[in-house]
DNA sequence: AAGTAGATTAGAATTGTTTTAAAGTAAAAA
DNA sequence: TTTTTACTTTAAAACAATTCTAATCTACTT
């Protein structure tokens, strides 16, 4: 499916800029990227586009589910008086974090790590919403 | 142990400001906070301190291991063309992210969730460093 | 008590993202 | 088709979080 159709199907107007972005993003290879990354790619391909447009488009794409964005633990630097290794519950509504001990969770099957690398740690975030 | 001693033991000069911060942080209750949070607490307790000092102190505290900071997935907003639910390898050196499928990992024992809440998802980040 | 290295501060600088308001463009209506 | 309308793009300004700068201050050493 070409970018134009894809955008239309998602309920977005296929503008020149959106098509250019979609052409880069949906070429079949999953990728992670920042607005800045993408802007560079576009500039280097000889096109011109403002960074604000990139942000606008990406946010629209995200809203309609064409892309996702990595839910870190929020936007700001969060400090923690707990220096032991531990994981977190994350209250999706309030943003509140609650610790839990590594012993309270047990990971059985492990994914195969990329060649030449070893694991230096694992961070687990269990997201919470109110029951009912 | 009082804050002054604690700071000295950690190799930090116990200044008025650091003591004030330590008094708030190390009162026995683990807590998560941002620089802004802490600044508000301090201002509300009638003390005066610049936000820059808060940042300086927290970074110092972090360097000596008195506190930790939550490793989000980096500082900037990262988008992802993969809209399926998935987890990530995180290359600690380069910041690169690689997806892995939820089926590639299996969590057996689950921590007890806070009362009144249910899980709305789980995010797992496996950090990687080069072997040898 | 005096000197020095390290700490604090206000304010400027930086970085990443969003907003604003004006000008442009795709889709719908005529 | 043309006109109209609603949505987009843009540069520039605004904003938010964090760090830096350079002057002042303070805890520790002597």
């Amino acid at each position: 499916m070409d970018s134009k159709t894809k955008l239309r199907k998602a309920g977005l107007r296929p503008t020149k800029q959106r098509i250019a972005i979609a052409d880069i993003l949906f070429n079949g290879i999953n990728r992670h990227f920042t607005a800045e990354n993408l802007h560079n790619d576009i500039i280097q391909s000889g096109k011109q586009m403002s960074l604000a447009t990139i942000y606008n488009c990406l946010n629209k794409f995200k809203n309609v589910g064409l892309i996702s964005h990595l839910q870190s633990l929020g936007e700001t630097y969060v400090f923690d008086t707990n220096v032991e290794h531990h994981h977190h519950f994350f209250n999706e509504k309030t943003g509140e974090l609650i610790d839990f001990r590594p012993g309270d969770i047990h990971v059985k099957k492990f994914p195969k790590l990329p060649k030449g690398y070893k694991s230096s740690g694992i961070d687990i975030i269990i997201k919470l919403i109110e029951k009912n």
Side-chain angles (χ1 to χ4, degrees), chain A:
Chain A
M1 195 190 332
D2 71 335
S3 295
K4 205 164 188 168
T5 315
K6 185 155 188 159
L7 288 168
R8 231 188 281 268
K9 266 199 164 171
L12 294 177
R13 267 192 201 174
T15 65
K16 194 154 51 83
Q17 290 84 348
R18 286 176 182 172
I19 292 169
I21 291 179
D23 281 346
I24 291 179
L25 297 187
F26 309 121
N27 61 1
I29 303 155
N30 278 332
R31 55 187 299 230
H32 304 96
F33 58 98
T34 63
E36 191 67 35
N37 290 160
L38 184 55
H39 191 227
N40 289 340
D41 287 359
I42 289 194
I43 296 300
Q44 266 166 29
S45 79
K47 298 197 184 79
Q48 166 54 34
M49 198 178 307
S50 82
L51 195 49
T53 301
I54 306 268
Y55 276 107
N56 287 342
C57 290
L58 291 179
N59 283 327
K60 281 276 159 71
F61 283 20
K62 190 183 61 170
N63 291 341
V64 299
L66 286 176
I67 61 177
S68 61
H69 102 262
L70 299 192
Q71 170 111 32
S72 301
L73 287 168
E75 300 69 47
T76 46
Y77 216 85
V78 178
F79 294 90
D80 192 340
T81 56
N82 186 353
V83 293
E84 306 295 313
H85 177 242
H86 63 283
H87 304 298
H88 291 98
F89 293 117
F90 175 68
N91 184 326
E92 297 217 63
K93 196 155 153 201
T94 65
E96 188 199 9
L97 290 162
I98 302 168
D99 295 352
F100 67 87
R101 293 191 316 272
D104 290 340
I105 197 163
H106 185 236
V107 175
K108 203 168 113 194
K109 184 179 162 193
F110 231 75
K112 204 174 155 193
L113 305 187
K115 239 196 170 69
Y117 287 90
K118 62 179 178 183
S119 167
S120 56
I122 178 166
D123 284 338
I124 300 176
I125 299 156
I126 296 179
K127 292 178 280 182
L128 299 177
I129 52 173
E130 280 173 69
K131 216 183 273 177
N132 310 323

